[in-house]
Every structure is written in C-alpha cells, then in structure tokens.
Amino acid sequence: MATRVAPSMTGYLHLGHLYHLLWVYAYAERMGVPVCLRIEDHDRSRARPAYEKALFADLAAFGMAWRGDVLRQQDDVTFYDQQVAMLQDAGLVYGCACSRRELADLQLAGAPELFYPGRCSEKKLPLEGHTVRFRVGPDRMRFKDERLGWQEHVPAQQCGDFAIRDRTGQYTYQFCCVCDDIQQEIRHVVRGEDVLPSTGRQLQLFHAFDAPAPTYLHHPLLCDEAGNKWSKRQHAVSLRSRLEKGVSPEQLLAEAVGLHQPISLATALECVTGQLNQSAS
Ligand SMILES: [Zn+2]
C-alpha cells in the first residue's frame, strides 16, 4: 500500500508542482502510507538529466522523502512489453496506420480531446511499426473520487481506442502510468483535476490487466494572482532558480498554500489537510 509522486522530466518544478507534492504527502500522512518516487521520462525526446538532478535537489530542500527504489520509465521497458503482449493475447490491442494529419481531419469542432473513431480496428495491422491502440469497452466507468465524490467516465465516447505506444515504439503516458502503478503497488493516486477525465480509461486498463485499481484523489490546481493555472504556464519561474537565488524553502512552502510568512513542511501539510477536510465535508 503506497501512494506516489511521478514528476515529468520535461521541465523544472514550479510552485504548482510544489502544491501538488503537498497534496500527495498530506494524503499519505492521513492514510498512513509511504510515498514512492517515479521519474516520468517516457518521453525520450523531452526528458533531460538536468531536470532529474534538480528534482532530487528540490525534494531534499523541502524535506520530502520517499520509500524504496526510484522507478525510471526509461530504465527498463520489459514490463511494458509484457503487458502489451498480454493485451495482444486477449485481442485488446491493434495496430493503427492513421497519421496525425488524418486524425486531425476527423475531429469534430470543439471536441475537448482527440477522439479516435476506430478506423483501423479491423485491419489486422502488425503492432510493430504502427501506433498500438487499446480497444476501449463500451462501459461507463464509475469511481468515487476521494475529494470530488462519484464520477462517471465513458472512454468510448471521450477518446475512443487510445494509443498506448507510438509507431516508433515509445510508450504513452496513460499506459506507463497504469503499468508503473501496478509495478510499484500503488493503491492511492493523488493528482490534479486537469487529468480527471482520463481516469476512466486508466481504470479500463487496470481491469484488462486484472490488476487492482487504486483509489483516486484529484486536487484543485494552484492559480496565480491573475487566476491563471500554474500548470498551464509555460515559463513559470522554477523552484530551483528561486532556491538558488536564496529564497528559503519555507517561503516557497508558504506561497504554495497562499500564505506570506515562511512556514515549515508540517504546517504546509496541515494547511492542505484542512483544504481536503473542507472539500470532503
Ligand atoms: Zn488508424
């Protein structure tokens, strides 16, 4: 039983990430479970060693520890390959030859995300050299979010058969995420509200693997004074550069929870627990 932090190695952490980390650690404390660490570097074209080095320095500065070995997605794809083979045996994946351009032309105006209409689902194309897609079921996926209450997602209407590996062999975020949660025996997932709509499709993957699905808690996203979400800010000032300029970790912890005077990690966690209690009541 554990929860996890899984920062993406495509940039430096900023205040929005710190707020997210506080939610993970606050929830771990409440549930009495350890936090595992995963380096999300499945995107080989964007992951940089400098980001990983900064991540470890940031976690140390805030006094955030983790349990067990660090899982790096790029280190070993054997498990991912095995899981794909399992899905293939069950007839749950197929090769897709559609280009990004072709798919863009098939989209309805105003759709919230890319929808795949299943054009290649009966073509029996090989998986090698093609995009590998997961056949989503028609089911409505219901789950109780630990903060938001009951949710219902229908992947067949939201995204259709989604990609789990691109044609170059690189695994996708959704797929790695579920496989890693299985490998690290994660039973509680804490993540931002921005990714809430993808929970149903992850649950379908857990079911396909016959693996226990974790509980989910989706937290609000941190906004700046102007109401803009930190997660959407392309050039948000990194924690690293502010720490290097002499800003204290305690000051950054205060800012992450909307306070002005420097606070300890324990106090910051109490603030977030307070927000959790408020929204759950
Ligand atoms: Zn296709």
Side-chain angles (χ1 to χ4, degrees):
M1 302 288 266
T3 184
R4 42 78 163 177
V5 289
S8 165
M9 290 297 102
T10 55
Y12 293 105
L13 302 190
H14 55 58
L15 208 59
H17 294 115
L18 180 56
Y19 183 62
H20 165 70
L21 291 171
L22 289 173
W23 273 89
V24 176
Y25 279 88
Y27 193 66
E29 200 171 271
R30 160 185 281 220
M31 302 302 287
V33 297
V35 177
C36 292
L37 177 59
R38 173 185 315 162
I39 304 289
E40 200 172 88
D41 58 359
H42 66 95
D43 187 343
R44 290 189 296 248
S45 61
R46 295 172 67 206
R48 300 268 180 282
Y51 299 144
E52 187 178 316
K53 201 173 152 219
L55 166 72
F56 285 113
D58 291 346
L59 290 175
F62 295 110
M64 291 169 169
W66 62 91
R67 187 200 69 175
D69 296 335
V70 178
L71 186 151
R72 271 184 199 75
Q73 296 176 327
Q74 281 191 28
D75 278 357
D76 185 6
V77 296
T78 319
F79 187 70
Y80 303 146
D81 293 342
Q82 285 168 358
Q83 296 300 94
V84 169
M86 186 198 281
L87 295 178
Q88 192 172 16
D89 288 344
L92 289 173
V93 285
Y94 61 86
C96 161
C98 301
S99 68
R100 206 168 286 200
R101 178 80 186 264
E102 286 173 302
L103 292 181
D105 289 344
L106 295 171
Q107 299 304 305
L108 295 173
E113 62 175 310
L114 198 75
F115 179 80
Y116 182 72
R119 289 209 316 176
C120 300
S121 64
E122 306 305 329
K123 288 184 185 166
K124 297 188 166 57
L125 298 169
L127 301 189
E128 285 303 314
H130 289 111
T131 300
V132 178
R133 292 188 179 277
F134 174 70
R135 285 184 202 278
V136 300
D139 323 20
R140 306 181 86 79
M141 307 306 292
R142 267 169 68 76
F143 68 97
K144 192 174 182 189
D145 185 90
E146 299 292 307
R147 176 176 155 260
L148 301 169
W150 284 101
Q151 305 289 315
E152 193 171 84
H153 295 154
V154 189
Q157 290 168 12
Q158 293 171 280
C159 56
D161 298 343
F162 59 92
I164 61 170
R165 194 171 75 192
D166 72 15
R167 63 191 166 79
T168 68
Q170 186 156 305
Y171 288 102
T172 65
Y173 164 76
Q174 302 292 354
F175 183 77
C176 292
C177 196
V178 170
C179 290
D180 298 342
D181 283 340
I182 293 171
Q183 280 200 92
Q184 290 188 299
E185 298 182 339
I186 302 302
R187 294 291 181 270
H188 305 285
V189 171
V190 179
R191 44 188 218 153
E193 274 180 2
D194 53 335
V195 292
L196 175 64
S198 70
T199 312
R201 71 201 68 162
Q202 295 203 0
L203 289 172
Q204 286 206 355
L205 275 178
F206 279 107
H207 293 177
F209 294 137
D210 202 17
T215 65
Y216 286 89
L217 184 155
H218 290 86
H219 62 74
L221 299 180
L222 188 67
C223 293
D224 62 14
E225 295 81 5
N228 301 308
K229 287 174 180 140
W230 275 87
S231 60
K232 304 287 180 233
R233 283 174 55 163
Q234 294 301 311
H235 303 292
V237 183
S238 70
L239 299 172
R240 190 82 321 251
S241 70
R242 295 193 62 198
L243 288 165
E244 280 168 2
K245 284 193 182 111
V247 178
S248 71
E250 290 76 14
Q251 176 62 33
L252 294 171
L253 287 166
E255 288 178 22
V257 295
L259 297 174
H260 298 291
Q261 299 301 323
I263 54 172
S264 67
L265 175 61
T267 306
L269 292 177
E270 275 170 34
C271 291
V272 171
T273 303
Q275 292 179 26
L276 173 58
N277 291 339
Q278 221 169 20
S279 52
S281 59

